[in-house]
Coordinates of all heavy atoms in Angstrom, one line a residue:
E47 N -27.1 1.1 9.6 CA -27.6 2.3 10.4 C -28.8 2.0 11.3 O -29.7 1.4 10.8 CB -27.8 3.5 9.5 CG -26.6 4.0 8.6 CD -25.5 4.5 9.5 OE1 -25.7 5.0 10.6 OE2 -24.4 4.5 9.1
D58 N -24.1 2.2 35.5 CA -23.1 1.3 36.2 C -22.8 0.1 35.5 O -23.6 -0.7 35.1 CB -23.6 1.0 37.7 CG -23.8 2.2 38.6 OD1 -23.2 3.3 38.2 OD2 -24.2 2.2 39.7
D60 N -21.8 -3.7 35.0 CA -22.3 -5.0 35.6 C -21.2 -5.7 36.2 O -20.2 -6.1 35.6 CB -23.1 -5.8 34.6 CG -23.8 -6.9 35.1 OD1 -23.8 -7.2 36.4 OD2 -24.5 -7.6 34.4
I71 N -22.5 -13.8 18.3 CA -22.2 -12.9 19.4 C -22.5 -11.5 19.2 O -22.3 -10.9 18.2 CB -20.7 -13.1 19.8 CG1 -20.5 -14.5 20.3 CG2 -20.2 -12.1 20.9 CD1 -19.0 -15.0 20.4
N84 N -12.8 0.2 45.4 CA -12.1 1.0 46.4 C -12.9 2.2 46.7 O -12.5 3.2 47.4 CB -10.7 1.5 46.0 CG -10.7 2.4 44.8 OD1 -11.8 2.5 44.1 ND2 -9.7 3.1 44.5
L88 N -15.4 5.1 38.2 CA -14.8 5.8 37.1 C -15.7 5.8 35.9 O -16.4 4.9 35.6 CB -13.5 5.0 36.7 CG -12.5 4.9 37.8 CD1 -11.3 4.1 37.2 CD2 -11.9 6.3 38.2
V104 N -14.5 -19.6 22.2 CA -15.1 -20.3 21.1 C -14.1 -21.6 21.0 O -13.1 -21.7 21.6 CB -15.0 -19.7 19.7 CG1 -16.0 -18.4 19.8 CG2 -13.5 -19.0 19.5
R111 N -19.5 -15.1 14.3 CA -20.2 -13.8 13.7 C -20.4 -12.8 14.9 O -21.3 -13.1 15.6 CB -21.4 -14.2 13.0 CG -21.2 -15.0 11.7 CD -22.5 -15.4 11.0 NE -22.2 -16.3 9.9 CZ -22.0 -17.7 10.1 NH1 -22.1 -18.2 11.3 NH2 -21.8 -18.5 9.0
K117 N -23.1 2.5 20.6 CA -24.0 3.4 21.3 C -23.1 4.5 22.0 O -23.5 5.2 22.9 CB -24.8 2.7 22.2 CG -25.8 1.9 21.6 CD -26.7 1.3 22.5 CE -27.9 0.5 21.9 NZ -29.0 -0.2 22.8
I138 N -9.2 -2.3 11.6 CA -8.4 -1.0 11.7 C -8.9 0.1 10.7 O -8.8 0.1 9.6 CB -7.0 -1.4 11.1 CG1 -6.4 -2.6 11.9 CG2 -6.0 -0.1 11.4 CD1 -6.3 -2.6 13.3
D159 N -9.1 -20.9 14.0 CA -8.2 -22.0 13.8 C -7.2 -22.3 14.6 O -6.7 -23.4 14.7 CB -7.7 -21.9 12.2 CG -8.7 -22.1 11.2 OD1 -9.7 -22.9 11.3 OD2 -8.6 -21.5 10.1
L176 N -9.0 2.4 24.4 CA -8.7 1.3 25.4 C -8.6 2.0 26.7 O -8.9 1.3 27.8 CB -7.3 0.8 24.9 CG -7.2 -0.5 24.2 CD1 -7.6 -0.4 22.8 CD2 -5.9 -1.2 24.3
Y181 N -12.2 -3.2 25.8 CA -11.5 -4.4 25.6 C -12.1 -5.5 26.3 O -12.8 -5.4 27.3 CB -10.0 -4.2 25.8 CG -9.7 -4.3 27.1 CD1 -9.4 -5.3 27.9 CD2 -9.5 -3.0 27.8 CE1 -9.1 -5.3 29.2 CE2 -9.1 -2.9 29.1 CZ -8.9 -4.2 29.8 OH -8.5 -4.0 31.2
F184 N -10.4 -13.0 24.7 CA -10.9 -13.9 23.6 C -10.2 -15.2 23.6 O -8.9 -15.1 23.4 CB -10.7 -13.1 22.3 CG -11.4 -13.8 21.0 CD1 -12.6 -13.3 20.5 CD2 -10.8 -14.9 20.5 CE1 -13.2 -13.9 19.4 CE2 -11.5 -15.7 19.4 CZ -12.6 -15.0 18.8
E234 N -7.0 23.7 33.9 CA -5.6 23.6 34.3 C -5.2 22.2 34.6 O -4.1 21.8 34.3 CB -5.4 24.6 35.4 CG -4.0 24.7 36.0 CD -3.9 25.7 37.1 OE1 -4.8 26.3 37.4 OE2 -2.7 25.7 37.7
S249 N 3.2 8.0 35.8 CA 2.9 8.1 37.2 C 1.4 8.5 37.2 O 0.7 8.3 38.1 CB 3.6 9.0 38.0 OG 3.6 10.3 37.4
S262 N -8.4 -4.9 47.8 CA -9.4 -5.8 48.5 C -10.6 -6.2 47.7 O -11.3 -7.0 47.9 CB -9.8 -5.3 49.8 OG -10.4 -4.2 49.8
F289 N 4.9 -10.7 37.9 CA 4.2 -11.4 38.8 C 4.9 -12.5 39.5 O 5.6 -13.2 38.8 CB 2.8 -11.8 38.2 CG 1.9 -10.7 37.7 CD1 1.9 -10.1 36.5 CD2 1.1 -10.0 38.7 CE1 1.2 -9.2 36.0 CE2 0.2 -9.0 38.3 CZ 0.4 -8.6 37.0
L291 N 3.9 -16.1 41.8 CA 2.9 -17.0 42.4 C 3.5 -17.6 43.6 O 4.6 -18.2 43.6 CB 2.6 -18.1 41.3 CG 1.7 -19.2 41.8 CD1 0.3 -18.7 42.2 CD2 1.6 -20.3 40.8
H292 N 2.8 -17.4 44.7 CA 3.4 -17.9 46.0 C 2.9 -19.3 46.2 O 1.8 -19.7 45.8 CB 2.8 -17.1 47.2 CG 3.3 -15.8 47.2 ND1 3.4 -15.0 48.4 CD2 3.8 -14.8 46.4 CE1 4.0 -13.8 48.3 NE2 4.1 -13.7 46.9
D326 N 0.1 -17.9 29.8 CA -0.8 -18.9 30.5 C 0.1 -19.8 31.3 O 1.1 -20.4 31.0 CB -1.4 -19.9 29.4 CG -2.5 -19.2 28.7 OD1 -2.6 -17.9 28.7 OD2 -3.4 -20.0 28.0
Q360 N -10.5 -23.6 53.4 CA -9.3 -22.8 54.1 C -9.7 -21.5 54.4 O -10.1 -20.7 53.5 CB -8.1 -23.0 53.3 CG -7.7 -24.4 53.0 CD -7.1 -25.1 54.2 OE1 -6.4 -24.5 55.1 NE2 -7.4 -26.4 54.3
Q369 N 6.4 -8.4 48.0 CA 6.6 -7.8 46.7 C 7.8 -7.0 46.5 O 8.2 -6.7 45.5 CB 5.4 -6.8 46.5 CG 5.3 -5.6 47.4 CD 4.1 -4.8 47.0 OE1 2.9 -5.2 47.1 NE2 4.3 -3.5 46.7
N370 N 8.5 -6.6 47.6 CA 9.7 -5.8 47.4 C 11.0 -6.8 47.3 O 12.0 -6.3 47.0 CB 9.9 -5.0 48.6 CG 8.8 -3.9 48.7 OD1 8.6 -3.3 47.8 ND2 8.3 -3.6 49.9
G404 N 13.2 4.5 18.2 CA 13.7 5.6 19.0 C 12.7 6.6 19.6 O 11.6 6.5 19.3
H502 N 2.9 -1.3 21.3 CA 1.6 -1.5 22.1 C 1.6 -0.6 23.3 O 0.6 -0.8 24.0 CB 1.2 -2.9 22.3 CG -0.3 -3.2 22.0 ND1 -1.2 -3.0 23.0 CD2 -1.0 -3.6 21.0 CE1 -2.5 -3.2 22.5 NE2 -2.3 -3.6 21.3
S508 N 0.7 6.3 18.9 CA -0.2 7.4 18.5 C 0.8 8.6 18.2 O 0.4 9.6 17.6 CB -1.2 7.9 19.5 OG -0.6 8.2 20.7

Side-chain angles (χ1 to χ4, degrees):
E47 294 293 336
D58 286 352
D60 188 357
I71 292 169
N84 64 344
L88 301 177
V104 298
R111 296 172 183 83
K117 292 189 177 181
I138 313 304
D159 287 324
L176 259 76
Y181 72 83
F184 190 102
E234 183 177 352
S249 65
S262 60
F289 293 96
L291 175 64
H292 290 213
D326 288 17
Q360 299 289 321
Q369 70 180 57
N370 293 316
H502 221 276
S508 63

